[in-house]
Structures are given as structure tokens and as C-alpha cells.
Amino acid sequence: MEPEKIKESIVRSAKELFRKYGYHKTSVNEIAKKARVAKATIYKYFESKEQILDAILMDYLNVNLREILSNKAQHSNEVEHLKALVMKTCRLTFTVCNEFIGWDFVRENANSQEFLKHLSDQLEALLLSAYLELDHFKNNPSRRDGLAFLLKASKSIVFSFAFTSVSDSDVRKNFVAFQNEILPYLVKAAI
């Protein structure tokens, strides 16, 4: 089988197993069995189970982010458009934190802080490169620093929601507060 097909099979199998049983309850042996490859083959393509999770998350983020940014919804002005995009990408970030990573990963994984920092940095780079393709920023490169600040601040706030909220109600309140009380100032600073 071709290397890319093998890698895709490993990622697809891991994604199915992680969703069904959770990250911690899924072993590399189970991933290998489902992907119909040897355990050693998995380690040929990925150094660890965390790297497989990282590949799944980055693919999910990339696909969904491109979809969000390609949606040409009409907004009254540039500020409203940017606020709407940031809220959509913040919800996407929260979904990744809450549904894919979850509390078990943070509590039970010795490397969770390092993994989350790496994921956070990758997400920030992905968001920045995608947003820089928007007309607001493509036509005005001097806004790059403001955009980088907006994305870093928004991402940090949303990551804190994901790992400090006790209930769904808390999350909703936090998102409403962020949208109404913090985001307008961050967007104005960015543009």
C-alpha cells in the first residue's frame, strides 16, 4: 500500500476509535488492528499517539476553518464581519478543546500542557495564514500585527473557557460575555 494511504488509514482508524472509546481508552495496538497494519508501522509514521491526535485535530480545524472563511455572509461593515468570523473560529476552537481533547486528556496525560501549547501555536499559525487571505488584511498588510494580537487573545480566552467551565451554561455565559464585552475592543485594536 502507498505511504499516504497507510497514513490516512491510521488517522481514520484512530479518529473512529477516539470518538467511540476516547483518547485514553484507545491503545496503539487497537489503532493498528483497525487500520490493518503492524504497530511498528504506526510508529514509522507517527512518533506517538499524541501525534496521531494532533494530525486529526489539525485536519479537522483546517477543513472547518476553510469552510467558515469561504462563507460570504453579508455584514454591515468590516468590524461586524471580523467579529462574526472570530466568534465562529472561537466556537470551532472550543469544539476541538471540549469534544476532541477533553478533560481526561488534560488530567491523565503527563505531556498535556506541552501538547496544548503546541496545538495552540499551530492553531494560531493556521488562523493567521487563513485570515491574511481575507480582503480586509490582504489589501492592508500593515494590519498583520493587529490581527495576530486579536487571534492570540481570542484563542487564549476560548482555551480558558474550554478548561475552566463547569457546565454548558457557564460556557454560553462566557461566550456571550466575550462577544459583548471583550471582542468589540479586540477587533477595534486589530483594525
Side-chain angles (χ1 to χ4, degrees):
M1 197 182 319
E2 297 173 32
E4 277 306 307
K5 297 282 186 195
I6 293 170
K7 194 171 182 177
E8 286 174 24
S9 176
I10 293 168
V11 169
R12 185 177 49 254
S13 298
K15 185 190 295 186
E16 289 174 26
L17 292 168
F18 291 167
R19 280 195 170 144
K20 188 172 183 178
Y21 301 110
Y23 174 82
H24 282 290
K25 293 181 182 173
T26 301
S27 71
V28 175
N29 286 333
E30 291 167 323
I31 296 169
K33 184 178 178 182
K34 181 149 185 77
R36 297 179 185 205
V37 298
K39 184 177 177 180
T41 302
I42 289 180
Y43 289 114
K44 179 180 176 184
Y45 293 93
F46 299 96
E47 290 179 19
S48 66
K49 189 169 73 165
E50 284 178 0
Q51 267 198 351
I52 300 170
L53 177 62
D54 182 75
I56 292 167
L57 295 178
M58 291 314 295
D59 182 57
Y60 177 84
L61 287 167
N62 206 357
V63 167
N64 284 280
L65 182 60
R66 296 292 168 196
E67 186 176 308
I68 287 169
L69 294 175
S70 68
N71 184 352
K72 301 291 184 192
Q74 296 298 318
H75 296 280
S76 58
N77 58 46
E78 182 179 6
V79 170
E80 292 304 312
H81 183 218
L82 193 53
K83 281 173 33 182
L85 287 174
V86 169
M87 284 307 295
K88 287 176 184 176
T89 55
C90 284
R91 285 188 181 100
L92 177 63
T93 302
F94 177 79
T95 299
V96 165
C97 290
N98 194 44
E99 292 181 17
F100 284 92
I101 300 173
W103 285 107
D104 288 344
F105 179 82
V106 174
R107 280 193 302 263
E108 298 174 22
N109 191 319
N111 300 326
S112 65
Q113 295 304 312
E114 184 180 317
F115 178 82
L116 291 174
K117 171 74 172 113
H118 176 71
L119 176 65
S120 176
D121 292 345
Q122 284 183 295
L123 175 60
E124 196 173 312
L126 177 65
L127 289 171
L128 186 58
S129 68
Y131 272 56
L132 286 172
E133 293 300 314
L134 296 172
D135 290 340
H136 306 299
F137 298 99
K138 188 188 288 185
N139 299 333
N140 196 344
S142 64
R143 290 184 173 175
R144 186 185 193 285
D145 290 340
L147 176 62
F149 166 77
L150 170 65
L151 295 174
K152 182 182 281 294
S154 299
K155 176 195 55 126
S156 296
I157 291 167
V158 171
F159 265 49
S160 73
F161 292 173
F163 297 110
T164 61
S165 297
V166 176
S167 68
D168 288 341
S169 175
D170 288 342
V171 172
R172 282 190 289 281
K173 287 177 194 172
N174 286 335
F175 265 109
V176 168
F178 173 71
Q179 183 174 10
N180 296 334
E181 299 168 18
I182 300 170
L183 184 59
Y185 296 104
L186 293 176
V187 170
K188 284 181 184 175
I191 59 174

